[in-house]
Amino acid sequence: MGGRKVCIVGSGNWGSAIAKIVGSNAAKLEQFDTTVNMWVFEEEVSGKKLTEIINMQHENVKYLPGHKLPPNVGVDEGPEGLKLISHVIHEWLGIEMSVLMGANIANEVAEEKFCETTIGCKNLEHGQILKELMQTRNFRITVVPEADTVEICGALKNVVAVGAGFCDGLSFGDNTKAAVIRLGLMEMITFAKLFCKGPVTSATFLESCGIADLITTCYGGRNRRVAEAFARTGKSIEQLEKEMLNGQKLQGPQTAAELNHILKQKNLVEKFPLFTAVYQICYEDKPVAEFIKCLQNHPAHM
């Protein structure tokens, strides 16, 4: 016992995947307390509390089945914008916040396949502590000071991934999807430069949190997968979320709605045709087949 205390708030597939890494590292590094507490929304799986299953079986059988969590990760019941979530937590708890984002599909992280990730931390000393806690041979971390940029990448990439899914559902091909990724990245950079309080440099978008995460999400993430089904089946986003995500939530459409509200307030909707098209298709009954128009008329072609 002793050292810095570590807890994990959240128990979806990503929370459980990072719990494997954090639990293992905390158990062997002297500067961290060996007990890692995990906070989870309580729910029942096959008549048993999910917390009890995790504590007894050391496995999140619902959100990350097939991967054992270290025995030093225990669980407790937890409480239940485009305001960045790190800012919300900072306001409520009054603590310094850092963020981790990257091309990190949870199952692949849990399977210990090599990947990179980015920690955005304004205090580089704290960033090094977090790097020690989370880095492994196959989970390689870069620390950058632009925490808000790192976090905004993690939110906006999901909107672009919805557009990529529309392309897949409409059978437009890889060339079109590459255009969605490029144009989407340009809108991400423009939005960050307009709305992030601190400096925003293009170099951060070349880290794992930027282009790498965007590519991964546009080819393998849940937002892409559900958006493809939306374009192919005509079912609603809400219905597909229930059918396909096993209790997980879709981030892209909700983020698109938050973005649209902000852009309308600032009279900037026309500067973001891809973000706007995703919003209109998800919430205003714009035909998904018209998504191609936002690419054809995008000002980035000029």
Side-chain angles (χ1 to χ4, degrees):
M1 297 294 290
R4 297 175 185 272
K5 293 187 70 65
V6 180
C7 78
I8 297 163
V9 181
S11 59
N13 62 348
W14 172 245
S16 300
I18 202 67
K20 282 190 67 176
I21 293 173
V22 168
S24 297
N25 283 354
K28 64 189 178 187
L29 296 173
E30 290 186 1
Q31 64 172 306
F32 300 105
D33 192 311
T34 55
T35 298
V36 176
N37 288 319
M38 188 181 206
W39 294 74
V40 51
F41 286 113
E42 189 65 275
E43 55 186 310
E44 287 198 354
V45 179
S46 302
K48 293 183 180 179
K49 287 185 176 182
L50 182 58
T51 51
E52 293 175 356
I53 294 171
I54 294 173
N55 280 334
M56 292 177 64
Q57 301 180 22
H58 300 291
E59 180 180 350
N60 189 332
V61 295
K62 181 168 184 180
Y63 296 113
L64 197 71
H67 295 284
K68 292 294 182 181
L69 301 179
N72 60 315
V73 180
V75 224
D76 241 325
E77 293 185 30
E80 248 185 267
L82 183 82
K83 194 170 192 180
L84 296 177
I85 190 64
S86 64
H87 294 177
V88 175
I89 296 171
H90 171 73
E91 288 174 5
W92 276 91
L93 300 183
I95 59 175
E96 187 174 297
M97 297 298 301
S98 301
V99 295
L100 181 150
M101 299 285 175
N104 308 142
I105 291 176
N107 284 3
E108 295 180 15
V109 173
E111 290 163 7
E112 300 181 26
K113 295 178 178 176
F114 180 84
C115 69
E116 300 175 308
T117 198
T118 310
I119 290 179
C121 184
K122 292 165 186 167
N123 183 323
L124 290 183
E125 182 182 344
H126 289 178
Q128 288 305 310
I129 293 170
L130 292 169
K131 181 175 180 176
E132 288 180 36
L133 176 64
M134 297 183 182
Q135 181 162 270
T136 70
R137 184 174 177 82
N138 287 320
F139 190 66
R140 307 303 292 172
I141 292 172
T142 301
V143 180
V144 301
E146 293 177 23
D148 286 357
T149 304
V150 172
E151 186 171 0
I152 211 115
C153 283
L156 300 185
K157 59 93 187 278
N158 292 317
V159 181
V160 183
V162 172
F166 292 158
C167 287
D168 289 340
L170 296 167
S171 300
F172 283 151
D174 286 335
N175 292 342
T176 306
K177 189 165 11 178
V180 169
I181 292 171
R182 187 186 78 82
L183 296 171
L185 180 63
M186 292 185 69
E187 292 193 14
M188 288 169 61
I189 294 170
T190 301
F191 188 91
K193 288 183 175 179
L194 284 170
F195 291 99
C196 284
K197 293 177 182 176
V200 176
T201 62
S202 297
T204 300
F205 290 89
L206 298 179
E207 297 290 349
S208 184
C209 64
I211 186 64
D213 195 11
L214 181 60
I215 291 169
T216 297
T217 308
C218 286
Y219 276 91
R222 74 185 80 153
N223 289 279
R224 185 219 62 81
R225 188 160 48 95
V226 173
E228 178 183 12
F230 175 87
R232 291 193 189 281
T233 67
K235 294 180 180 179
S236 70
I237 292 288
E238 293 78 10
Q239 184 177 354
L240 291 168
E241 186 180 62
K242 291 176 183 176
E243 292 178 5
M244 299 175 66
L245 297 187
N246 190 34
Q248 292 179 308
K249 296 297 180 183
L250 204 62
Q251 312 100 318
Q254 182 178 337
T255 302
E258 293 168 352
L259 289 177
N260 191 258
H261 179 71
I262 292 168
L263 295 175
K264 281 179 178 174
Q265 284 185 324
K266 302 291 186 181
N267 199 27
L268 290 169
V269 170
E270 291 184 1
K271 285 181 71 75
F272 298 90
L274 192 151
F275 290 170
T276 300
V278 169
Y279 166 76
Q280 291 174 337
I281 290 167
C282 291
Y283 292 101
E284 294 186 347
D285 297 322
K286 181 174 182 172
V288 68
E290 292 187 15
F291 179 71
I292 192 69
K293 291 182 179 179
C294 84
L295 309 179
Q296 293 168 333
N297 300 324
H298 203 287
H301 289 300
M302 297 173 66

